[in-house]
Amino acid sequence: GEFKPPGGFTRGVAVSGDFAYIVGDKTVLRVVDISNPLAPTVVGSYGEATWAKAVQVVGSTVYVASCRYFFVFDVSTPHQPRVLGTYETNGKYQYCALSMDVIGTVAYVGTHSDGFEVLDVSSPSNIKRVGKYDLSRCNGVLVSGTTAYVVSSRGLTLIDVGTPSAPMLISNVRTGT
């Protein structure tokens, strides 16, 4: 089957069990029942027009990074996603969150122009930025152990995140255009 979201571009997808969590230009989050692959069906959604770029699901929690907010949702009832908390970013396109990786109670977020940010999401109703490393156009973030691998305008940058409040450069390699 094929799912065509109304308006705008779809920017990210995460899947858990029978549900796909989709983000994009026109909607913060759409929940799609994929239990019948021949007939995917939208069963829930939240918000409009945030230019959401990245989504990750961990258990019954969905994290969404967008141009205006970093969202944390409870999707234990997929038909009714519920916002647990938000973290307001600058709100301008150039500061859009482009990528993220959530490990435990820490979200590692790559932005277009505001750098690589480390957010404490242990209390979703009180998300706080605890660390930052200056990079631009962070298009990909993956964390393994205490190392963040960030693809940015500088190439591949390895950042030590063992102390989330003090991310430190390990190394960088230019990867070309």
Side-chain angles (χ1 to χ4, degrees):
E2 183 177 8
F3 168 70
K4 292 183 181 179
F9 291 101
T10 299
R11 303 288 180 175
V13 62
V15 174
S16 180
D18 289 337
F19 297 96
Y21 302 92
I22 311 247
V23 298
D25 294 350
K26 301 291 183 187
T27 305
V28 175
L29 178 66
R30 287 194 194 281
V31 182
V32 180
D33 183 334
I34 55 172
S35 60
N36 178 353
L38 297 176
T41 306
V42 175
V43 295
S45 66
Y46 178 87
E48 294 181 4
T50 64
W51 292 83
K53 303 285 187 180
V55 59
Q56 185 173 343
V57 61
V58 179
S60 63
T61 304
V62 171
Y63 301 89
V64 176
S66 76
C67 285
R68 175 121 190 197
Y69 295 100
F70 179 88
F71 293 89
V72 181
F73 290 95
D74 174 2
V75 293
S76 57
T77 305
H79 299 75
Q80 297 175 330
R82 185 173 58 94
V83 175
L84 296 176
T86 59
Y87 170 79
E88 187 169 4
T89 61
N90 185 303
K92 298 179 182 174
Y93 178 78
Q94 64 266 31
Y95 297 98
C96 275
L98 301 175
S99 57
M100 70 173 162
D101 196 5
V102 180
I103 306 294
T105 60
V106 180
Y108 303 92
V109 181
T111 71
H112 186 271
S113 297
D114 207 28
F116 169 76
E117 296 185 329
V118 182
L119 304 179
D120 176 351
V121 296
S122 61
S123 174
S125 62
N126 190 28
I127 300 167
K128 295 179 182 176
R129 183 172 77 182
V130 295
K132 180 178 176 181
Y133 187 83
D134 286 327
L135 285 173
S136 62
R137 289 184 224 113
C138 299
N139 292 312
V141 173
L142 178 69
V143 177
S144 179
T146 60
T147 303
Y149 299 85
V150 183
V151 177
S152 72
S153 59
R154 294 185 192 169
L156 175 63
T157 302
L158 281 65
I159 301 171
D160 181 343
V161 292
T163 303
S165 61
M168 293 178 38
L169 177 67
I170 296 171
S171 62
N172 184 77
V173 60
R174 294 259 179 221
T175 54
T177 57

